[in-house]
Amino acid sequence: MSNDVIFAPLKFRNLTVKNRLFRSNVSGRFDNYDGSGTQARINWEESFARGGVGAIVSSYVPVHIRGRILPNYAMVDNDDKIPFWRAVGEAVHRHDCKFIMQLSHSGRQRDNPGVENFRQKGLSSTNKKDSFHGLLCEAMSVQQIKETVRHFAEGARRAREAGLDGVELHASHGYLITQFLSSAINDRKDEYGGALRNRSAFLLEIIQAIRKEVGSDFHLQAKLNAVDFGNALYPWEKKGNTLDEGIQVAKWAEEAGVDAIHVSIGSIFPHPLLPPGGLPVDEFNWWYGAIISSGVRGYMNYTVCHFKLLRPILDFLWNRTKKSHPVEAVSSEYCREVKKNVGVPIINTGGYQDGKVIRRVISEGITDAVSIARPLIANRDLAHVLQSGRDLPAKPCTFCNRCLLNAPANPLGCYDVRRFNGDHDAMIAEIMQVYSPSQFSEQHVSVAGSSKE
Amino acid sequence: MTMPEEDSIRTGEGNLTDYVYLSPVDQYQQHFRRWLLLIVLLFLALFVTAALYYFMSDRTRYYSDILEHFKYGSIGSEPGGTIFTQVGGVLPPYLVFKTLPALCPDKLPGGYASLGLVFEPGHELPIGVSRRWRLGVEQVGLNCAVCHTGTVRQSADSKPQIVLGMPAHQFDLERFFRFVADASLDDRVTAESVIAKAEEMGDRVSIVQRLILRFFLMQRLKLVTVSLQNRIGPLLNGPLPDWGRGRVDTFNPYKAVQFNWNLKLLPHDELIGASDFPSLWNQKPREGMHLHWDGNNTSVDERNLSASLGAGVTPVTADHASLQRVHDWIWTLPPPKYPFAIDQSRTARGKDIFAQQCAECHSFDGRKTGTVEDIASINTDPYRLNSYTYALTGNQSELYPDSPYRFTHFVKTNGYANQPLDGIWARAPYLHNGSVPTLLDLLSDPADRPKQFVRGYDVYNQQKVGFVYDTPQARQEGFWYDTTTPGNGNGGHLFGTKLPLDQKLDLIEFMKTL
């Protein structure tokens, strides 16, 4: 399929990616507690590069310890992290794959803040806790805002120094930048709150600071919500930003100097619409305990999920908005509108796996590329499968979201045992492959040795 | 960051209780729990207050019109006390009382009206039955009017005239009690059937009322009824003569209900004590006279309060203010005027005969009026006299201790009191036990007085002065009274029996005017 739009190179201002398949940012607790990287992270990222995607958007990389979602995520909060990220980049580059670091700050949305943050509330635009887990927060002072902007810029610098191919600002899914952008969350009365322009100031200042720090020839993209759907879970919550507002933010981001927009939806994470698919209550029941004490609604959520009699409440709340959206290409129709209004290339995420769907959204001009996480966790070689002319792997991702619900507690991987014909051991064996080679294995020494040549 | 007090920090011992500081989530939840506790306590307090109000409030409708008050106002005879220990009352709660005849139609085919209870248009309960909110439910009770409201008809097809204060000669109190007790214990009477029937009859039954009925009230009603039956069963269901319409055994139920006497241990004859309901009017001139048929009390107030006990009032449930209103009204209530034509020429002659033959004992200013006539002298039926005993007198003096209502006037007598004859036309049948149907019969020699007759039929016999007692229609509606039954004897009181018929007619014509 030489004319396959999926495998046409995508040229950004400062970066060319060999195909239209991006590994979307997805983390896994593979690193050291203190945020230093491990061989497992390198193995993890390299496995996707080996599978044929054009570019990898990194794991969620906190620019500051206070902005970490979960412990064991590699950070970029200090220059001492540069060598690790360089190693990651090099591993990925060996497979003709680009590596874009996602610069992130959780704000209040810390699923497990870790012992370092145990005695602090999360930073946010607001003092109001998040609606899902009840994660507590305090509104940032202007000085804290300026410092955080600086942390992003320094993170970008470190990424560039590590030889990575670009950075992405995580400005969607309810993390710190969304907390400023969203009218449902941001209740500030100062220059960072109120009108959309004010709410966007934090994002735009970060873009400008990064540009100032790394210049205009380093790839910078922003992951933005087209629509917030702030009331998708609880109908009494505010809706947040509309599509028009999402488009406006994208336009301002473009003006400020981003090279691409990564379009998503949802003002919390997880969100009923994103990642699209199921909410397996068994997994919720088994693993939510890992983060149950992080917020003030954890025990309530757990109770609702734990008792079968109460589950219809969760079922109703979680599924009521989903009914009006497809699982595959869940945000594509919003993305189409964003793309119409901006000039830079667009990447869209949410439920992409099927070659036919991916070809359609690219051909119809809905997006220039798609980013994929769960189907690639299930089938690292999805790109090769699509390139071979098949639209789906033999055992495709079911969008069950078991990977998502295991993530806070267990190694990230595909936990849909149906894909392993019910063989639990086989499933675990595949998940554990991320630890191989280990830092001290002979295989690794040779690989690591060669990488240093 | 809140640090706990130093003395609450414990380390090295009790690993389960060690803590050093609170996380923001801990602080929030602690704060939240405090608020939650406060809110829960507030709600609890509100709930308890509401529950207390619901179950402990005692309220009844106030009728500003004294006539309405007399007919429907509560004197406190509804069950009271606490929800745990019910005191007083002889009737089931409103919804049950109202639905009993419909739920057990075989036990009372004609409904309450067939027992002689008087219904007025616009009222779902009969005269003499009051409503009062007590113990968390709408209760019903009896008031003075139930035994002191009579009806009179000129003929079988005329409309009954309701006369307040008149003896309820048409009302069968004993059958009423029997029915209420039997039906209350009937298996068909359940919370579900009562609710369904009440709703069918247009009542709206709240959820709380349903719950109270379903889980509490019906069981208690059955127990209370069984308990009441155990006490007064020998009177209602034993081998004693029926009271019949217009009569009540005043003191025997009193012994059982108020003093918990075991009636089975009393002599059989003492349990026969039925006598006529008296009239209520003109109480002021009666103060100081020997009241009750046997003249056992000379205080109108004590007599009133004592009578209310028979309606279910107890010392702790009595509504003294309400009773006082009735007292004030009957204090000066005039007797009802004779509603038919009077022959004035006979009246004039009869007045003189009355002065000669009757006034000494029966006019307000009579020398012996209000005094007790020895049984040997008057020689009327002695059962009523003997049903009131010295022992009961002693017990009565223990009621209302340390209060202004304490009984101090009850005495045991040995005869029957001479009554003033105001409104005597409306007080038929005559003698204390109602054993003589008309005044004319009373002026006959006992041997000539009717041996059996009907009482409780309200068509008036203007010639004989009393109620019609011998027509087929009367037999259908009334109570067949047999003077040979113990307690029903029609002997004695021979005054005027020797007068010529013409003079007797003159006399009774005059007595219509009293």
Side-chain angles (χ1 to χ4, degrees):
Chain A
M1 295 189 65
S2 55
N3 296 328
D4 193 342
V5 291
I6 298 175
F7 294 96
L10 176 59
K11 193 168 170 44
F12 299 95
R13 182 162 56 138
N14 298 307
L15 180 68
T16 301
V17 175
K18 68 181 176 185
N19 59 38
R20 305 300 177 96
L21 302 174
F22 284 57
R23 204 296 306 279
S24 194
N25 56 297
V26 66
S27 302
R29 299 181 62 176
F30 299 131
D31 299 298
N32 293 317
Y33 202 101
D34 68 349
S36 57
T38 63
Q39 182 59 38
R41 174 68 62 198
I42 297 172
N43 297 344
W44 171 258
E45 300 294 29
E46 189 177 359
S47 70
F48 293 95
R50 193 181 294 121
V53 295
I56 290 171
V57 182
S58 73
S59 56
Y60 177 102
V61 184
V63 297
H64 191 271
I65 182 69
R66 210 166 169 183
R68 190 177 61 184
I69 309 174
L70 285 161
N72 305 99
Y73 281 12
M75 299 197 292
V76 65
D77 60 331
N78 192 289
D79 286 358
D80 65 5
K81 307 294 193 308
I82 293 173
F84 167 71
W85 287 113
R86 184 176 293 124
V88 176
E90 286 169 353
V92 169
H93 286 155
R94 277 199 293 274
H95 302 279
D96 189 23
C97 181
K98 304 298 182 186
F99 192 81
I100 298 166
M101 176 184 279
Q102 190 186 55
L103 300 176
S104 311
H105 194 296
S106 61
R108 68 185 184 182
Q109 205 160 279
R110 301 186 301 195
D111 295 333
N112 177 351
V115 292
E116 304 93 329
N117 294 317
F118 182 60
R119 297 174 69 176
Q120 297 165 327
K121 292 179 182 175
L123 294 174
S124 183
S125 63
T126 176
N127 287 318
K128 286 190 280 187
K129 61 184 179 294
D130 105 295
S131 59
F132 186 19
H133 307 294
L135 301 164
L136 301 175
C137 61
E138 59 192 35
M140 294 163 79
S141 67
V142 171
Q143 190 191 341
Q144 285 173 315
I145 291 173
K146 301 294 181 195
E147 282 170 7
T148 306
V149 169
R150 191 70 232 142
H151 295 150
F152 274 97
E154 287 177 355
R157 174 181 59 77
R158 290 174 191 130
R160 181 159 203 176
E161 286 180 14
L164 306 183
D165 302 296
V167 290
E168 175 178 280
L169 295 176
H170 198 348
S172 60
H173 298 178
Y175 297 107
L176 181 60
I177 302 176
T178 315
Q179 289 161 34
F180 274 86
L181 288 172
S182 176
S183 61
I185 303 171
N186 186 338
D187 57 358
R188 299 179 76 91
K189 305 294 180 216
D190 63 5
E191 64 268 33
Y192 291 97
L196 182 61
R197 184 76 204 190
N198 288 3
R199 303 201 304 271
S200 305
F202 181 57
L203 169 66
L204 301 178
E205 282 179 22
I206 292 170
I207 295 170
Q208 286 154 4
I210 288 173
R211 279 294 174 222
K212 195 174 167 190
E213 186 74 26
V214 300
S216 58
D217 60 344
F218 187 60
H219 181 76
L220 167 60
Q221 64 186 44
K223 188 172 188 180
L224 295 171
N225 275 350
V227 190
D228 277 350
F229 292 109
N231 63 345
L233 177 58
Y234 293 125
W236 52 86
E237 295 286 339
K238 292 178 185 167
K239 287 181 181 171
N241 289 0
T242 61
L243 179 58
D244 287 344
E245 289 175 307
I247 291 168
Q248 183 58 62
V249 172
K251 286 161 78 174
W252 284 334
E254 182 183 18
E255 283 169 20
V258 298
D259 299 318
I261 305 286
H262 189 175
V263 175
S264 189
I265 51 174
S267 61
I268 54 171
F269 192 84
H271 183 277
L273 295 177
L274 202 121
L279 185 75
V281 286
D282 51 356
E283 302 279 5
F284 195 120
N285 188 39
W286 294 326
W287 312 119
Y288 189 74
I291 59 171
I292 196 170
S293 61
S294 303
V296 300
R297 291 184 178 171
Y299 291 99
M300 181 189 79
N301 291 346
Y302 184 75
T303 302
V304 169
C305 175
H306 183 71
F307 294 101
K308 286 181 180 171
L309 275 174
L310 298 176
R311 283 181 185 166
I313 301 171
L314 179 65
D315 194 45
F316 166 74
L317 291 169
W318 195 261
N319 292 319
R320 60 192 193 87
T321 312
K322 283 163 62 177
K323 290 169 188 159
S324 54
H325 289 80
V327 169
E328 297 194 61
V330 64
S331 62
S332 60
E333 288 309 308
Y334 309 110
C335 183
R336 183 199 298 274
E337 300 306 312
V338 177
K339 175 138 181 73
K340 279 183 199 167
N341 286 280
V342 296
V344 293
I346 297 290
I347 306 158
N348 185 214
T349 193
Y352 288 114
Q353 171 170 241
D354 189 325
K356 292 193 296 296
V357 177
I358 298 169
R359 277 181 207 102
R360 181 180 65 78
V361 293
I362 297 172
S363 304
E364 288 184 10
I366 289 172
T367 185
D368 297 296
V370 296
S371 70
I372 304 169
R374 296 166 296 164
L376 284 169
I377 292 174
N379 293 284
R380 298 292 203 282
D381 61 345
L382 177 65
H384 294 320
V385 169
L386 299 182
Q387 201 158 20
S388 73
R390 283 179 288 150
D391 287 330
L392 283 175
K395 290 189 180 299
C397 171
T398 59
F399 299 109
C400 66
N401 279 328
R402 290 177 185 275
C403 51
L404 171 79
L405 294 174
N406 273 273
N410 304 315
L412 187 57
C414 178
Y415 284 86
D416 188 352
V417 76
R418 296 170 298 181
R419 289 191 57 254
F420 299 89
N421 298 323
D423 185 342
H424 181 79
D425 292 341
M427 180 180 80
I428 296 302
E430 185 183 288
I431 292 165
M432 295 305 164
Q433 279 177 15
V434 72
Y435 296 109
S436 179
S438 79
Q439 195 168 355
F440 305 106
S441 69
E442 288 177 11
Q443 187 189 355
H444 165 70
V445 171
S446 68
V447 172
S450 64
S451 71
K452 285 176 183 169
E453 287 173 356
Chain B
M1 187 63 57
T2 305
M3 296 296 290
E5 296 295 321
E6 200 171 320
D7 60 5
S8 69
I9 299 174
R10 296 198 287 150
T11 54
E13 55 175 32
N15 288 333
L16 293 175
T17 58
D18 276 5
Y19 69 101
V20 180
Y21 52 68
L22 301 175
S23 74
V25 169
D26 291 336
Q27 289 176 43
Y28 180 95
Q29 289 179 334
Q30 193 177 63
H31 193 67
F32 178 77
R33 279 193 290 267
R34 281 181 188 153
W35 273 104
L36 192 67
L37 182 68
L38 189 69
I39 290 166
V40 166
L41 287 176
L42 267 175
F43 269 99
L44 204 62
L46 268 175
F47 179 80
V48 168
T49 308
L52 285 178
Y53 178 75
Y54 199 88
F55 288 104
M56 294 184 72
S57 73
D58 180 349
R59 53 184 195 271
T60 185
R61 182 173 168 185
Y62 180 84
Y63 296 91
S64 53
D65 179 356
I66 186 62
L67 299 183
E68 292 298 302
H69 175 71
F70 177 73
K71 289 188 282 188
Y72 302 108
S74 167
I75 57 171
S77 63
E78 298 81 359
T82 71
I83 55 170
F84 305 108
T85 313
Q86 181 177 314
V87 176
V90 290
L91 299 183
Y94 167 73
L95 287 178
V96 181
F97 177 79
K98 181 177 169 177
T99 52
L100 282 183
L103 291 173
C104 305
D106 51 316
K107 287 189 158 84
L108 192 65
Y112 290 123
S114 67
L115 297 173
L117 283 163
V118 182
F119 284 84
E120 287 188 306
H123 292 270
E124 57 181 354
L125 294 179
I127 290 174
V129 179
S130 58
R131 291 171 65 164
R132 192 177 193 108
W133 181 272
R134 265 181 180 167
L135 311 181
V137 282
E138 189 74 3
Q139 310 272 11
V140 292
L142 301 176
N143 66 19
C144 312
V146 74
C147 298
H148 301 287
T149 298
T151 58
V152 181
R153 278 184 291 172
Q154 184 166 10
S155 63
D157 51 3
S158 58
K159 195 179 161 205
Q161 203 180 327
I162 297 168
V163 183
L164 302 183
M166 170 180 165
H169 69 102
Q170 77 291 339
F171 175 43
D172 196 331
L173 181 62
E174 188 180 35
R175 273 182 63 210
F176 175 71
F177 282 147
R178 262 191 212 139
F179 166 74
V180 169
D182 287 352
S184 294
L185 294 176
D186 194 291
D187 286 344
R188 289 167 292 184
V189 178
T190 63
E192 288 76 14
S193 66
V194 166
I195 291 165
K197 187 56 75 179
E199 289 188 327
E200 199 180 305
M201 294 167 87
D203 277 285
R204 286 180 61 190
V205 187
S206 72
I207 291 172
V208 180
Q209 288 295 301
R210 284 166 193 270
L211 292 173
I212 290 173
L213 272 166
R214 174 70 183 78
F215 294 107
F216 181 63
L217 202 59
M218 290 310 292
Q219 288 92 328
R220 192 181 66 182
L221 171 65
K222 306 263 178 188
L223 287 174
V224 167
T225 307
V226 167
S227 167
L228 194 66
Q229 273 207 335
N230 284 343
R231 291 186 186 190
I232 62 173
L235 296 176
L236 299 184
N237 307 316
L240 299 170
D242 289 341
W243 299 350
R245 289 178 187 261
R247 300 207 310 171
V248 61
D249 184 340
T250 308
F251 291 102
N252 281 315
Y254 204 119
K255 297 169 188 170
V257 174
Q258 300 290 342
F259 303 122
N260 211 12
W261 287 14
N262 185 348
L263 297 180
K264 289 175 185 161
L265 301 181
L266 295 182
H268 174 267
D269 283 3
E270 186 182 324
L271 298 179
I272 300 172
S275 56
D276 273 19
F277 298 127
S279 61
L280 283 193
W281 45 74
N282 259 341
Q283 292 304 310
K284 187 179 177 183
R286 285 174 161 80
E287 180 66 21
M289 292 185 182
H290 282 266
L291 306 170
H292 280 141
W293 294 112
D294 60 349
N296 61 17
N297 198 307
T298 54
S299 160
V300 168
D301 282 339
E302 277 192 22
R303 194 275 322 273
N304 290 350
L305 193 55
S306 175
S308 74
L309 298 181
V313 169
T314 68
V316 294
T317 56
D319 185 341
H320 292 289
S322 170
L323 283 166
Q324 186 62 37
R325 288 185 72 197
V326 177
H327 162 99
D328 292 347
W329 179 63
I330 61 178
W331 196 244
T332 54
L333 176 69
K337 287 204 171 355
Y338 184 74
F340 313 109
I342 294 177
D343 182 337
Q344 295 301 336
S345 57
R346 281 194 183 279
T347 300
R349 294 194 297 275
K351 188 177 181 181
D352 294 337
I353 301 167
F354 184 83
Q356 294 160 16
Q357 298 286 328
C358 315
E360 186 184 22
C361 295
H362 291 302
S363 72
F364 277 112
D365 53 357
R367 187 176 60 88
K368 294 173 72 178
T369 305
T371 63
V372 175
E373 194 71 25
D374 196 89
I375 187 67
S377 149
I378 192 70
N379 205 26
T380 50
D381 186 280
Y383 280 88
R384 162 66 187 82
L385 172 65
N386 297 336
S387 73
Y388 186 80
T389 59
Y390 285 108
L392 182 56
T393 312
N395 277 251
Q396 282 177 303
S397 69
E398 292 169 10
L399 284 173
Y400 299 97
D402 300 327
S403 88
Y405 304 109
R406 185 168 193 169
F407 292 149
T408 57
H409 291 73
F410 274 102
V411 292
K412 172 63 186 159
T413 65
N414 191 38
Y416 290 105
N418 296 314
Q419 308 269 351
L421 298 186
D422 48 341
I424 192 65
W425 70 267
R427 291 158 63 179
Y430 300 101
L431 295 182
H432 69 271
N433 57 357
S435 55
V436 185
T438 67
L439 285 180
L440 191 59
D441 291 319
L442 185 61
L443 293 173
S444 306
D445 187 83
D448 300 327
R449 295 171 182 169
K451 297 280 182 293
Q452 284 102 17
F453 62 94
V454 170
R455 51 172 301 160
Y457 184 58
D458 62 354
V459 173
Y460 207 77
N461 183 336
Q462 299 175 44
Q463 286 70 44
K464 293 186 167 183
V465 187
F467 293 100
V468 171
Y469 58 83
D470 51 5
T471 64
Q473 184 69 22
R475 288 186 180 216
Q476 205 176 330
E477 293 185 25
F479 171 75
W480 187 245
Y481 186 95
D482 187 343
T483 58
T484 61
T485 303
N488 288 4
N490 62 354
H493 195 279
L494 304 178
F495 308 102
T497 55
K498 305 291 185 207
L499 290 171
L501 178 62
D502 202 46
Q503 286 189 25
K504 288 178 181 174
L505 293 175
D506 290 344
L507 179 59
I508 63 174
E509 199 68 15
F510 168 73
M511 290 173 77
K512 291 175 180 175
T513 68
L514 291 174

